[in-house]
Amino acid sequence: MHVVTTETIPGHEIEETLGIARGNTVEARNVGRDITQSIRNITGGELKAYSELLTGARDEALDRMVADARNLGADAVVNVRLETSEVTSGGAEVIAYGTAVRLAD
């Protein structure tokens, strides 16, 4: 499955547009992680636990988007975008979406 942020895939022709493919996940912080990251926030530096949390959430959202595209019969997803929003205190949604397409043979 090709997954790109561009409108086209070099060397391929889009035969058919199948619709929007999307995948999302909502992830929450945990108390233990909050304590260690609060200390890091005081001393400075990367909040690695939060970076890892969001990296995992992005990967999950992308995987779910690809699964949705496959269910639509797609060979590729173009114009892929990722967005994050807070849905509750300490909880963030990550959504991946793009246009599911079928490529010409």
Side-chain angles (χ1 to χ4, degrees):
M1 169 90 46
H2 296 279
V3 176
V4 297
T5 59
T6 56
E7 291 181 15
T8 61
I9 300 171
H12 297 278
E13 182 180 337
I14 294 173
E15 181 176 279
E16 183 181 2
T17 300
L18 303 170
I20 297 172
R22 60 192 161 274
N24 71 311
T25 184
V26 177
E27 298 286 334
R29 304 179 316 207
N30 70 38
V31 175
R33 187 177 290 146
D34 283 350
I35 292 168
T36 61
Q37 296 309 285
S38 295
I39 294 167
R40 172 73 66 183
N41 198 25
I42 293 168
T43 62
E46 180 184 5
L47 303 176
K48 290 183 181 180
Y50 291 151
S51 292
E52 291 169 1
L53 177 73
L54 286 174
T55 296
R58 281 190 298 272
D59 290 344
E60 183 65 34
L62 284 166
D63 288 346
R64 290 178 180 179
M65 180 197 68
V66 167
D68 189 39
R70 283 194 174 110
N71 286 338
L72 293 170
D75 302 310
V77 184
V78 297
N79 285 326
V80 172
R81 301 291 182 261
L82 290 160
E83 293 186 24
T84 303
S85 62
E86 184 178 36
V87 294
T88 183
S89 179
E93 176 190 38
V94 177
I95 184 166
Y97 61 94
T99 304
V101 298
R102 187 170 296 125
L103 301 174
D105 290 331

